Amino acid sequence: MSHINSQNLTPSKYTHRYTPRHPLAKEAVSQIEKCERRSQDIVQAMGYPPKHIISACDRLRHVLSSDILGLNATDIDSYFTAHEFLKTLLSVLDIKYDTFAKDIAQIQYDLAHYPYPLPQYHLRAVINFTWSEGANWMSRGVASSKAVAYLPQNIAKMNAAKRELVIQQCLAAHYAEYNGHLPYNGVINGYQLIIEQRHEMVDSIAYDLPQCE
């Protein structure tokens, strides 16, 4: 999406405070680097008065380092809403808003309909292995990796009924593939769903083995 190659940018005195994660932010940082614009000059051009330059620079850094471009409005002021700040910033940097309008709308939709950050779902089989004396850490690691039952990336955005159905389908598919076919006489005894948010476990659900047809 970016029209400016932002790969392998060497941070300079103009961009070292930013860690862009979204394509729009990478485009903005590339433009800042290209035009050699200081953060205080940018926010001043956006209309901030001198007494609010420091806090505005902090907000600019937050927006350009956020994966959702600061659109969750956790860092706002009396001058701009989260969306207005972004639109004004793009105007000051001579970046066309329409280029990223769809991305911005998607972020706003997700924030309105889903928790942020989205919880992470991990489904694993509970397996008992009979390790032989020759099973080193590498071979054990490979065998243990078979416990992962992969879930679709968008599972956190599904409603509860749909998510449960998909979990059951993934669980059954994993069991059909690995039951009786695991190294070191591995036996699947059940499944466990781990739910994490902000890198912390918030829930754990145990599942029985699927019913064989």
Side-chain angles (χ1 to χ4, degrees), residues 11 15-22 25-26 29 60-67:
T15 60
H16 72 278
R17 299 180 75 226
Y18 312 123
T19 53
R21 300 165 61 188
H22 189 278
K26 293 178 181 178
V29 171
L60 176 63
R61 183 179 70 251
H62 167 73
V63 168
L64 293 183
S65 301
S66 167
D67 61 331

Side-chain angles (χ1 to χ4, degrees), residues 107-115 118 157:
I107 292 173
Q108 291 177 314
Y109 178 87
D110 288 347
L111 289 172
H113 293 84
Y114 308 112
L118 285 172
K157 293 184 177 181

Side-chain angles (χ1 to χ4, degrees), residues 3 24 27 90-91 93-101 104:
H3 299 294
L24 185 155
E27 180 96 354
L90 293 181
S91 177
L93 295 178
D94 294 322
I95 297 174
K96 292 183 178 180
Y97 178 88
D98 290 347
T99 304
F100 296 97
I104 294 170

Side-chain angles (χ1 to χ4, degrees), residues 138-169:
M138 184 176 295
S139 59
R140 291 186 183 212
V142 171
S144 297
S145 69
K146 307 296 184 184
V148 177
Y150 292 99
L151 298 170
Q153 291 185 346
N154 65 337
I155 191 165
K157 293 184 177 181
M158 298 177 184
N159 61 46
K162 175 65 174 178
R163 182 164 50 245
E164 182 62 23
L165 176 62
V166 169
I167 289 172
Q168 292 289 351
Q169 291 172 340

Side-chain angles (χ1 to χ4, degrees), residues 105-139:
Q106 184 63 56
I107 292 173
Q108 291 177 314
Y109 178 87
D110 288 347
L111 289 172
H113 293 84
Y114 308 112
Y116 177 80
L118 285 172
Q120 302 293 313
Y121 291 81
H122 308 282
L123 182 63
R124 293 182 61 88
V126 179
I127 303 174
N128 284 341
F129 291 102
T130 303
W131 303 113
S132 64
E133 292 184 1
N136 58 28
W137 65 269
M138 184 176 295
S139 59

Side-chain angles (χ1 to χ4, degrees), residues 187-207:
V187 177
I188 302 175
N189 295 314
Y191 286 83
Q192 185 177 32
L193 179 71
I194 301 295
I195 306 172
E196 297 179 343
Q197 193 163 30
R198 299 185 186 276
H199 307 293
E200 294 184 359
M201 187 176 74
V202 296
D203 201 0
S204 175
I205 303 172
Y207 286 88

